Amino acid sequence: MATQPTHEQGELQLKIFDLRREARLRQARDWFGKNYFANTLDEAMRIAPMGSEAGTSFMMVVSYWDQACAYLNHGLLHEDLFFETSGEFFFVWERVKATVPEGRQRWSNPMFLANLEKAANRYEAWSEERAPGHVAGMRQMMKQMAPQGSKAA
């Protein structure tokens, strides 16, 4: 973006950041980072079945980031500022992207996590332009985080 962030964009970004600190969402984010390693929708459903505590944590994390990315995609957030200060959404996308196409098909919802995907794709191009190799390094680190023997590794 060629423009500077507006005061309104900065305020909205601070509100979004503040929501990340809410206790239940923080707990869900912690669970997601430690437990969500799935390459198929069936694996995902075993890890985080609908109606379970894990399923609730999963949906809290992905829906939070999909909504934050919707604000970004609709121009309510300043892209450079968001990308410079928020990398977790990309981490979340990388963890879920293998299962999303099957989920979209199974639930007849082509928009499932579409805002997250769109922002992650833009972030990857944005990051590669500014820090070549950064995304590859992040992906390598994420592989190392996966449990040994996991297909996600």
Side-chain angles (χ1 to χ4, degrees), residues 4-50:
Q4 291 294 315
T6 66
H7 182 75
E8 284 180 319
Q9 288 172 320
E11 286 290 320
L12 181 55
Q13 186 157 337
L14 286 173
K15 286 178 184 178
I16 288 170
F17 178 80
D18 196 42
L19 289 172
R20 284 179 65 231
R21 298 174 9 176
E22 187 275 327
R24 181 60 183 94
L25 182 55
R26 187 177 286 233
Q27 178 185 3
R29 291 171 46 235
D30 183 57
W31 172 89
F32 185 90
K34 292 177 181 174
N35 297 286
Y36 188 83
F37 299 93
N39 286 312
T40 68
L41 190 58
D42 288 339
E43 286 177 3
M45 298 306 289
R46 279 192 296 275
I47 294 167
M50 288 185 204

Side-chain angles (χ1 to χ4, degrees), residues 30 33 59 65 68 75 83 97 114 124 143 145:
D30 183 57
M59 285 307 298
W65 282 115
F83 288 167
K97 73 179 181 180
E124 186 167 359
K143 281 184 181 182
M145 293 171 68

